Amino acid sequence: MGSGPGDPGQLTMAALRAMNLADVLLVGAGVAPQVLALARKDAPRDTAPDDPRAAAACVRDHADAGRHVVWLRPGDGFRESPWNAVAAALADAPWPCEVLPGITTRP
C-alpha cells in the first residue's frame, strides 16, 4: 500500500480497511508515523526489506502462514517500480495479492 507523501487524512477507505484487518504490517523506511497510528494497534510491525525480492519473500512467508499482510511503503503503489517487482514475484501465489492506493502523490 502506498503511504504518501501526503496528508494521512487522504488515505483511501480500502487502505484504512486493509491496515485495520492486517495480522502483520511490513513497514518500509519513510512511512509516516501518522499513517501507522491509523493501523490496527495490536498488529506486529516488522521492518520491510528494501530489496523487492526479499520483500516479496517476507510477504510470502507471512501469507503462507495464514496471516493477512499489509506492506506499507512511501510513494504511490501504482507508480513506484518496487511495487511492480514485488507484485510480479507474488503473481503465482495461492492467495490474493493486490496493490492498494493509499495517499496520492498529487493533491
Side-chain angles (χ1 to χ4, degrees), residues 1 11-12 15 19 23-25 32 41 43-47 66 72 74 80 89-90 92 99-101 103 106-107:
M1 187 196 92
L11 280 167
T12 64
M19 289 192 316
D23 296 314
V24 64
L25 297 164
K41 304 298 183 224
R45 286 145 168 82
D46 292 344
T47 301
L72 294 160
E80 304 294 327
L90 297 174
D92 66 342
V99 178
L100 294 175
I103 303 171
R106 295 179 186 240

Side-chain angles (χ1 to χ4, degrees), residues 45-99:
R45 286 145 168 82
D46 292 344
T47 301
D50 289 331
D51 176 68
R53 287 189 193 112
C58 191
V59 169
R60 188 178 292 274
D61 289 346
H62 282 295
D64 284 346
R67 296 181 199 83
H68 180 205
V69 184
V70 173
W71 177 35
L72 294 160
R73 185 167 154 60
D76 184 331
F78 293 105
R79 298 178 64 174
E80 304 294 327
S81 60
W83 297 95
N84 299 328
V86 172
L90 297 174
D92 66 342
W95 25 259
C97 179
E98 64 181 317
V99 178

